[in-house]
Amino acid sequence: MSNFEYLLSQIKACTVCAEHLPLGPRPVVSISAHSKILVIGQAPGTKVHASGIPWDDASGKNLRKWLGVTNEQFYDTNLFGIVPMGFCYPGKGKSGDLPPRPECAPLWHNQILDLLKEVKLTLLIGQYAQAYYLGERKKKTLTETVQNYNHYLPEFFPLVHPSPRNGIWMRKNQWFEEEIIPKLQQSVKSILG
């Protein structure tokens, strides 16, 4: 078993925050040592928790559309690595799912990143990924951070979460689909060929 396979087996067996998970632990991660684009999102929802397939929901459908890729490309771990901020479904809050559990990223992300030598671009989806990876470099709001995506290239590309619940944000910020999505697709295409 390689170091990479061992790490994946450890992540998938993780129970560190089990007592806080209403549906129990079911870590969802999809990567290979050859992943070219790393997708760092929030945490699985109930549908993804049930299927065990990352982004297997309406948000994932929107994300693949934004990226301009097929399901086959998106789920090819040699192309896309998928690592959420929280690996398990965190539970329901007042206005949607709870934030990702705070244990996952500090416990696992650096170990994962140390083994990913072929990543050319990391997509930071939503406020939790942007806060963790951009730190003080992020702008005052998520909207400003996404608008200024080019400040973080070539390493990071910050995005709003592709949830259908963000429809109001999308309507208020039409520049996202007009300007950002074409740039995102161009970046993805240049990496995937």
Side-chain angles (χ1 to χ4, degrees):
M1 181 181 286
S2 71
N3 288 346
F4 195 83
E5 292 168 326
Y6 178 75
L7 178 59
L8 270 180
S9 72
Q10 293 297 300
I11 292 169
K12 292 188 181 229
C14 182
T15 59
V16 167
C17 58
E19 67 186 85
H20 304 288
L21 302 172
L23 301 181
R26 185 172 191 190
V28 177
V29 60
S30 176
I31 48 177
S32 89
H34 304 290
S35 299
K36 307 285 184 277
I37 298 174
L38 187 59
V39 179
I40 301 180
Q42 297 183 170
T46 54
K47 186 172 183 192
V48 170
H49 176 84
S51 72
I53 301 169
W55 295 97
D56 181 29
D57 54 15
S59 297
K61 186 176 180 181
N62 287 342
L63 178 59
R64 290 185 289 280
K65 182 180 171 189
W66 291 357
L67 296 170
V69 299
T70 64
N71 285 358
E72 292 76 18
Q73 289 172 304
F74 187 73
Y75 290 112
D76 179 343
T77 57
N78 288 323
L79 301 179
F80 287 91
I82 302 170
V83 178
M85 290 299 295
F87 292 104
C88 298
Y89 172 66
K92 202 75 162 153
K94 289 181 181 176
S95 62
D97 292 342
L98 291 171
R101 292 293 315 160
E103 298 88 349
C104 291
L107 181 60
W108 297 114
H109 279 212
N110 283 343
Q111 293 181 70
I112 293 168
L113 295 176
D114 286 347
L115 297 175
L116 296 178
K117 303 298 184 199
E118 298 181 30
V119 171
K120 308 282 186 232
L121 179 66
T122 299
L123 308 179
L124 300 176
I125 300 175
Q127 65 176 330
Y128 302 107
Q130 291 168 23
Y132 190 82
Y133 281 92
L134 299 178
E136 293 185 12
R137 294 173 44 207
K138 74 178 179 56
K139 303 297 181 193
K140 194 174 189 177
T141 66
L142 180 133
T143 299
E144 288 177 58
T145 301
V146 172
Q147 277 180 313
N148 289 284
Y149 73 94
N150 54 335
H151 294 176
Y152 310 105
L153 290 172
E155 183 178 10
F156 298 117
F157 202 123
L159 296 169
V160 65
H161 195 281
S163 170
R165 296 178 128 208
N166 280 339
I168 293 171
W169 187 93
M170 296 293 287
R171 286 189 292 282
K172 283 170 58 174
N173 297 284
Q174 293 184 2
W175 51 265
F176 181 77
E177 285 191 322
E178 294 166 2
E179 300 168 32
I180 306 297
I181 296 302
K183 294 291 187 187
L184 175 63
Q185 291 179 355
Q186 181 181 10
S187 294
V188 168
K189 190 174 182 179
S190 71
I191 293 167
L192 302 184

